[in-house]
């Protein structure tokens, strides 16, 4: 029977898209926890939440407070959330008397940034940082950003863009009646877009004086700054910008410096401890604590230790909580003083909640008792009752590392075989964990099972597993994904004729490998900003070291170019198998992607089209993550539509 069409789209297709859109709208209303803070008395938690605001095209962030009794039970909470979307950074003073924040406001096409200090109910200070023009935009990202109080509550320190001299051409025609914008006889210079060089900035509140601290090498980009306990120095992390400015976001193992800088500009050492991931291209002086990631707190010893940490640790596919004990010995990490009460965010399989606990005595850590603070998010009932399985997988080989893990997430309907989305993560040195995922929930609501694979090379299984993948990309990780697919087909109700591939970045690298190496296994592909040709990516990406090390050799730009190394990068690339691909493939690309430039996907699409493979490119004005709300919404809806459309087509 012929289907009616509207503007070239069938009614059935319209209904399909409506179903996807409605499911996305439902899930977009579920808030996520951004972070939480305890007050000094341990009886009030201020929790920051975020929720997608589809009409505004961005997320809305809001605060909600919870009052605890002596048993850590919630006895009252704020009636409504307070919108803090325009607050970039905030910090409560050590004695709890003040709250500082960096606020950003739009004024027409321009934006202004303010430093505000609140004293209980009063605004004690408001400094127009944009008007001062001492520095550029304040950094509020997780890699560089910070806003820290001195212990005596007299000063603040943060990181901002360095103010650069205005660049002028050697020969320039000037209009005699050229408009003056600031009354000084010079036009106001335009700020650079994005980050160039960072500086450490201190504000003395008594005089409202904002000063850029001097003394760091010009090639260093500092971040994550904190005051020392005596308030006479700041400590922080710095990354080199020469000879190449390597990408930092998602790359937590970058070589870096831990520095101590006095307020009068002297750079010196101190008793500073850094607990971090090992670097693949060189290392700083760090302590090997035999763990991938460590969560810790600052010490209050006579000689304090400053600890720099990144995120919650994961073991296999599960989130874990760890803490570190420090002694005076130089061979082990320094002692971490623990306050009486700590909070932690725990993310469950299909829900997200906040818990609090009182840390037990030394030696009794396993007896910790967590108390739930927030109610579980209201996820759709069909998602909440889904089946979640933690899967251990192992190769029958003589390889030094044989095992890896995966997460299986499927609707709980009985007597039904589901289409399966095979989903390797990006990185490759990251991991899927048992956390709520809007993407997985959306596919679940549409009737898909998903298989999230932590192939060898993922974090959470030890250093040997992480390093096993080096020189084996495009081989070991691909075999892991195929083994996981085969095992799921044996054990779970999955339709072997409806296998989908979905992944981004290195996950995109893997799904394009799989569709080329196993062309008769997988039915349809969606790949986001995939690495397609490591050899050509090497000279245009912001992580050239990734290309070298993953392909199996040390990164250097000294000396002659090695043809052998270029061939190694090409041979491990999906482009080597593109001529075998049969599955319809959609490519989601970011025009501003510096990590995997979008021409990688365009080159792949041209090859597919030339070979007669149904192919579509979706281009977004976004970066590598495609994480802006409009881009996320559109590419996710189009991904689901691409899967359903091609699975429903007859062969």
């Amino acid at each position: 029977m012929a289907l009616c069409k509207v503007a070239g789209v069938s009614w059935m297709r319209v209904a399909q898209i409506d179903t996807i859109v409605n499911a996305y709208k439902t899930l977009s209303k579920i808030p996520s926890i951004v972070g939480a803070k305890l007050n000094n008395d341990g009886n009030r938690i201020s929790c920051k939440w975020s929720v997608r605001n589809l009409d505004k095209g961005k997320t809305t962030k809001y605060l909600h407070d919870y009052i605890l009794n002596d048993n850590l039970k919630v006895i009252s909470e704020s009636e409504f959330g307070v919108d803090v979307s325009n607050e970039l950074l905030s910090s409560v003073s050590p004695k709890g008397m003040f709250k500082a924040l960096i606020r950003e406001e739009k004024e027409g096409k321009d934006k202004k940034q303010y430093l505000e200090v609140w004293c209980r109910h009063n605004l004690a200070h408001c400094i127009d940082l944009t008007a001062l023009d001492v520095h550029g935009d304040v950094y509020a990202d997780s890699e560089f950003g910070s806003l820290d109080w001195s212990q005596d509550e007299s000063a603040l320190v943060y990181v901002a863009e360095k103010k650069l001299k205005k660049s002028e051409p050697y020969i320039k025609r000037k209009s005699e009646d050229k408009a003056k914008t600031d009354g000084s006889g010079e036009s106001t210079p335009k700020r650079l877009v994005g980050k160039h060089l960072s500086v450490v900035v201190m504000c003395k509140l008594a005089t409202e004086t904002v000063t850029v601290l001097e003394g760091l090498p010009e090639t260093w980009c500092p971040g994550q700054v904190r005051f020392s306990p005596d308030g006479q120095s700041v400590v922080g992390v710095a990354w080199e910008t020469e000879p190449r400015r390597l990408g930092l976001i998602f790359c937590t193992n970058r070589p870096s410096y831990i520095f101590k800088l006095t307020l009068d500009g002297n750079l010196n050492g101190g008793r500073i401890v850094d607990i971090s991931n090992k670097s693949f291209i060189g290392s700083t002086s760090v302590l090997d604590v035999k763990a991938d990631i460590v969560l810790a707190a600052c010490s209050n010893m006579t000689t304090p230790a400053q600890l720099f940490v990144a995120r919650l640790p994961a073991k296999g596919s599960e989130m874990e909580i760890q803490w570190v004990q420090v002694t005076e010995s130089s061979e082990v990490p320094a002692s971490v003083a623990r306050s009486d009460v700590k909070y932690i965010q725990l993310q469950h399989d299909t829900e997200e909640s906040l818990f609090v606990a009182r840390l037990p005595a030394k030696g009794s850590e396993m007896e910790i008792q967590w108390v739930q603070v927030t109610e579980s998010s209201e996820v759709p009932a069909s998602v909440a009752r889904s089946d979640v399985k933690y899967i251990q997988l192992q190769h029958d080989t003589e390889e030094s590392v044989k095992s890896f893990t995966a997460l299986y997430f499927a609707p709980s309907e009985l007597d039904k075989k589901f289409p399966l989305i095979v989903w390797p993560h990006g990185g490759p040195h990251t991991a899927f964990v048992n956390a709520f995922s809007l993407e997985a929930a959306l596919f679940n609501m549409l009737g898909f099972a998903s298989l999230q694979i932590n192939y060898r090379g993922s974090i959470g299984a030890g250093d040997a597993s992480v390093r096993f993948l080096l020189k084996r990309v495009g081989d070991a990780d691909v075999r892991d994904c195929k083994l996981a697919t085969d095992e799921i087909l044996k054990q779970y109700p999955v339709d072997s004729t409806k296998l989908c591939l979905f992944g981004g970045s290195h996950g995109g690298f893997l799904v394009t490998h799989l569709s080329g190496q196993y062309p008769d296994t997988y039915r349809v592909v969606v790949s986001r900003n995939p690495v397609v040709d490591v050899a050509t990516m090497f000279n245009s990406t912001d992580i050239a070291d990734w290309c070298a090390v993953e392909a199996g050799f040390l990164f250097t730009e000294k000396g002659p170019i090695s043809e052998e190394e270029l061939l190694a990068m090409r041979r491990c690339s999906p482009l080597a198998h593109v001529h075998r691909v049969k599955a319809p493939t959609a490519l989601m690309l970011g025009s501003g992607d510096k990590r995997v430039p979008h021409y990688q996907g365009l080159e792949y699409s041209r090859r597919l089209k030339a070979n007669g493979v149904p192919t579509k490119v979706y281009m977004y004005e976004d970066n590598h993550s495609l994480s802006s709300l409009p881009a996320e919404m559109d590419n996710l809806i189009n991904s689901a539509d691409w899967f359903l459309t091609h699975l429903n087509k007859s062969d």
Side-chain angles (χ1 to χ4, degrees):
M1 183 177 71
L3 294 172
C4 297
K5 293 185 177 181
V6 175
V9 180
S10 69
W11 281 111
M12 183 178 294
R13 177 82 182 286
V14 171
Q16 174 177 291
I17 293 176
D18 284 345
T19 299
I20 300 170
V21 170
N22 289 333
Y24 180 86
K25 284 183 176 180
T26 298
L27 294 170
S28 70
K29 296 176 182 178
I30 299 174
S32 299
I33 297 173
V34 177
K37 295 179 181 179
L38 272 169
N39 66 351
N40 290 341
D41 296 328
N43 59 9
R44 178 191 291 268
I45 294 177
S46 183
C47 184
K48 181 182 286 188
W49 297 78
S50 70
V51 65
R52 293 169 175 82
N53 191 320
L54 301 185
D55 288 302
K56 288 185 176 181
K58 57 185 180 181
T59 58
T60 292
K61 295 180 181 179
Y62 61 94
L63 286 178
H64 202 80
D65 289 343
Y66 305 88
I67 307 300
L68 312 178
N69 63 15
D70 292 340
N71 296 320
L72 306 183
K73 294 286 188 180
V74 176
I75 55 176
S76 67
E77 60 184 274
S78 51
E79 188 173 1
F80 299 104
V82 178
D83 191 334
V84 292
S85 299
N86 66 345
E87 292 184 11
L88 302 181
L89 296 165
S90 65
S91 178
V92 176
S93 64
K95 300 174 185 176
M97 296 299 296
F98 301 96
K99 180 179 180 180
L101 59 90
I102 303 291
R103 189 188 303 277
E104 183 172 279
E105 295 184 355
K106 299 288 185 180
E107 295 187 3
K109 295 182 179 180
D110 299 323
K111 65 181 180 183
K112 301 199 73 173
Q113 292 185 338
Y114 300 89
L115 171 60
E116 297 179 3
V117 177
W118 291 82
C119 176
R120 299 299 182 181
H121 305 294
N122 299 322
L123 179 61
H125 302 275
C126 182
I127 303 172
D128 187 339
L129 299 178
T130 306
L132 284 179
D133 203 25
V134 173
H135 55 72
D137 288 347
V138 176
Y139 287 8
D141 57 272
S142 58
E143 284 75 27
F144 289 93
S146 59
L147 181 62
D148 191 60
W149 284 88
S150 61
Q151 286 297 311
D152 63 3
E153 301 184 333
S154 68
L156 289 154
V157 65
Y158 57 90
V159 176
E161 176 71 16
K162 182 178 181 179
K163 181 184 176 183
L164 299 178
K165 294 180 179 179
K166 183 181 178 182
S167 178
E168 296 280 2
Y170 288 109
I171 300 175
K172 181 179 180 181
R173 301 291 184 186
K174 295 184 179 180
S175 171
E176 292 183 0
D177 57 350
K178 183 178 179 181
K180 311 299 182 186
T181 59
D182 64 356
S184 65
E186 293 290 335
S187 59
T188 303
K190 294 182 179 179
R191 301 194 185 280
L192 295 176
V193 176
K195 294 179 173 66
H196 180 72
L197 282 172
S198 57
V199 290
V200 179
V201 185
M202 183 179 67
C203 176
K204 293 184 178 180
L205 294 175
T207 57
E208 296 189 346
T209 305
V210 176
T211 307
V212 173
L213 299 184
E214 304 291 343
L216 295 179
E218 290 185 359
T219 59
W220 282 16
C221 271
Q224 303 177 34
V225 293
R226 300 287 187 273
F227 272 108
S228 60
D230 62 9
Q232 300 304 305
S233 305
V234 295
V235 293
V237 189
W239 294 267
E240 269 282 7
T241 62
E242 298 293 343
R244 176 191 280 256
R245 191 185 299 266
L246 294 169
L248 183 60
I249 188 170
F250 307 132
C251 297
T252 58
N253 61 343
R254 282 276 171 261
S256 58
Y257 302 93
I258 305 299
F259 67 85
K260 181 178 182 181
L261 179 68
T262 63
L263 300 186
D264 57 3
N266 291 319
L267 183 63
N268 53 44
R271 188 170 179 273
I272 302 172
V273 178
D274 174 43
I275 298 176
S276 64
N277 294 337
K278 293 181 179 179
S279 170
F280 289 156
I281 64 171
S283 63
T284 53
S285 177
V286 301
L287 296 170
D288 184 0
V289 293
K290 308 299 183 186
D292 291 316
I293 307 171
V294 176
L295 182 72
C298 289
S299 166
N300 63 359
M301 298 186 303
T302 305
T303 307
Q306 191 78 27
L307 292 131
F308 295 86
V309 294
R311 52 183 175 170
L312 287 175
K315 182 178 181 181
S317 302
E318 300 187 62
M319 302 290 279
E320 283 197 348
I321 298 165
Q322 303 176 17
W323 54 73
V324 180
Q325 293 284 10
V326 189
T327 70
E328 293 295 333
S329 169
S330 61
E331 298 179 357
V332 293
S335 169
V336 177
R338 299 171 299 171
S339 62
D340 190 39
V341 181
K342 291 287 181 185
Y343 73 88
I344 196 70
Q345 172 188 338
L346 296 181
Q347 295 179 306
H348 291 288
D349 305 327
T350 57
E351 304 170 320
E352 186 169 299
S353 302
L354 185 73
F355 288 71
V356 67
R358 203 179 304 276
L359 293 183
K362 180 180 177 181
S364 304
E365 287 84 1
M366 299 306 296
E367 299 175 10
I368 190 169
Q369 299 293 318
W370 293 100
V371 180
Q372 186 167 352
V373 176
T374 66
E375 297 295 329
S376 301
S377 301
E378 295 181 3
V379 299
S382 60
V383 176
R385 62 171 179 264
S386 296
D387 293 328
V388 181
K389 305 293 183 184
Y390 303 88
I391 304 168
Q392 295 286 334
L393 296 155
Q394 183 165 315
H395 289 275
D396 185 14
T397 66
E398 298 301 318
E399 295 172 300
S400 59
V401 178
K402 305 175 185 179
S403 61
F404 62 101
T405 64
L407 287 166
Y408 176 74
F409 182 51
S412 59
E413 300 175 48
L414 300 175
D415 303 322
K416 182 178 180 179
K417 286 193 171 184
F418 306 107
L420 177 70
I421 295 176
V422 177
W423 187 352
H425 61 71
H429 309 294
T430 59
F432 285 121
V433 295
N434 54 335
F436 176 78
S437 163
L438 182 143
E439 294 168 314
L442 177 67
F443 293 138
N444 184 283
M445 291 179 69
L446 298 174
F448 289 89
S450 61
L451 176 64
Q452 298 178 318
I453 306 170
N454 288 331
Y455 45 85
R456 288 170 293 179
S458 304
I459 60 172
D463 190 62
S465 180
V466 170
R467 292 176 181 270
F468 176 81
L469 188 57
L470 306 183
K471 200 176 181 177
R472 297 183 177 93
V473 292
D475 173 32
D477 44 5
V478 174
R479 288 188 285 114
D480 290 356
C481 292
K482 183 60 166 58
L483 175 62
T485 302
D486 294 342
E487 290 301 313
I488 290 299
L489 290 174
K490 293 177 186 177
Q491 300 179 34
Y492 297 97
V494 171
D495 189 339
S496 62
T497 67
K498 294 184 177 182
L499 301 182
C500 308
L501 290 168
F502 182 70
S505 192
H506 191 86
F509 169 91
L510 287 176
V511 300
T512 49
H513 256 301
L514 288 162
S515 64
Q517 293 191 40
Y518 305 100
D520 297 318
T521 301
Y522 301 98
R523 181 80 174 272
V524 57
V525 183
V526 172
S527 185
R528 298 180 184 175
N529 288 318
V531 176
V532 171
D533 185 358
V534 182
T536 57
M537 176 179 159
F538 181 76
N539 289 319
S540 57
T541 178
D542 67 347
I543 54 167
D545 56 322
W546 181 94
C547 300
V549 174
E550 300 297 347
F553 50 90
L554 293 176
F555 171 64
T556 180
E557 293 177 299
K558 297 178 181 178
I561 297 174
S562 168
E563 292 183 2
E564 179 183 348
E565 292 174 355
L566 290 174
L567 284 173
M569 289 189 279
R570 171 59 62 83
R571 288 175 182 139
C572 72
S573 302
L575 199 65
H577 307 283
V578 66
H579 60 285
R580 302 179 60 201
V581 175
K582 298 178 182 178
T585 301
L587 296 158
M588 311 295 181
L589 308 178
S591 61
D593 189 352
K594 298 183 184 301
R595 184 61 43 93
V596 183
H598 68 272
Y599 74 78
Q600 290 266 309
L602 294 179
E603 180 181 5
Y604 190 73
S605 70
R606 288 192 293 267
R607 294 274 180 176
L608 291 177
K609 290 177 181 179
N611 294 331
V613 177
T615 307
K616 190 166 184 177
V617 173
Y618 296 87
M619 186 69 71
Y620 300 96
E621 293 183 7
D622 206 338
N623 56 29
H624 186 59
S625 299
L626 298 183
S627 57
S628 67
L629 185 53
E632 178 206 72
M633 175 174 62
D634 193 82
N635 87 72
L636 190 51
I637 291 171
N638 282 325
S639 297
D641 179 56
W642 185 262
F643 286 145
L644 291 170
T645 297
H646 289 280
L647 290 181
N648 291 331
K649 284 184 177 180
S650 58
D651 292 328

